Amino acid sequence: MTTLQNMTFRHALFISLIFTTAACFGAETQKSSPEDFIRSLYRFHQPGKETPDWFGDKRTLSKYFDKELTALFLKNAECEKREQGVCNLDFDPIYDAQDFDKETTNLHIAAVAAGQSDLFNVTFTNLGTRTLVYRLTKTPSGWRISDIKYPEGPSLKEILSREIK
């Protein structure tokens, strides 16, 4: 084998390895349980640890939220940029809070009712204990959040769907 053929072979092998790894990772994400999906959200989003603001980033939002909620987040982010201030969302929707401890503890995820695979109680402790109800949708890309119901007041979708002036 010549040097050029050897380099081409190694290059092709390397690219194949990358695509195989990406395909396997994507397949694992698609097969994850709803509980694992929600846990991954709380591992990623930790505002007490200087998590960057990602509620205006379509690519990141679409990893966690369905198309409708992603579009509503983006509409809100556009308003905030235009108005240079708060529009519909004045709190962290994942924690239902404006202030945070550095660490979230006691994360517990459980189906709301047996046989109802789209609603999950998510309980955690961060400046107090809260329970939020997540509505998930199974998509070809895996689980996505289609709404979050808070203990008091409207749901996330209701908040983001308000008319923006």
Side-chain angles (χ1 to χ4, degrees), residues 63-77:
K63 290 179 184 178
Y64 295 101
F65 298 97
D66 68 9
K67 288 180 182 181
E68 183 180 0
L69 215 46
T70 295
L72 289 170
F73 269 111
L74 294 174
K75 182 178 174 186
N76 189 72

Side-chain angles (χ1 to χ4, degrees), residues 4-24:
L4 181 59
Q5 287 174 325
N6 191 18
M7 285 177 37
T8 303
F9 176 75
R10 282 194 274 170
H11 184 69
L13 185 62
F14 178 71
I15 290 172
S16 297
L17 181 61
I18 289 174
F19 282 117
T20 303
T21 303
C24 290

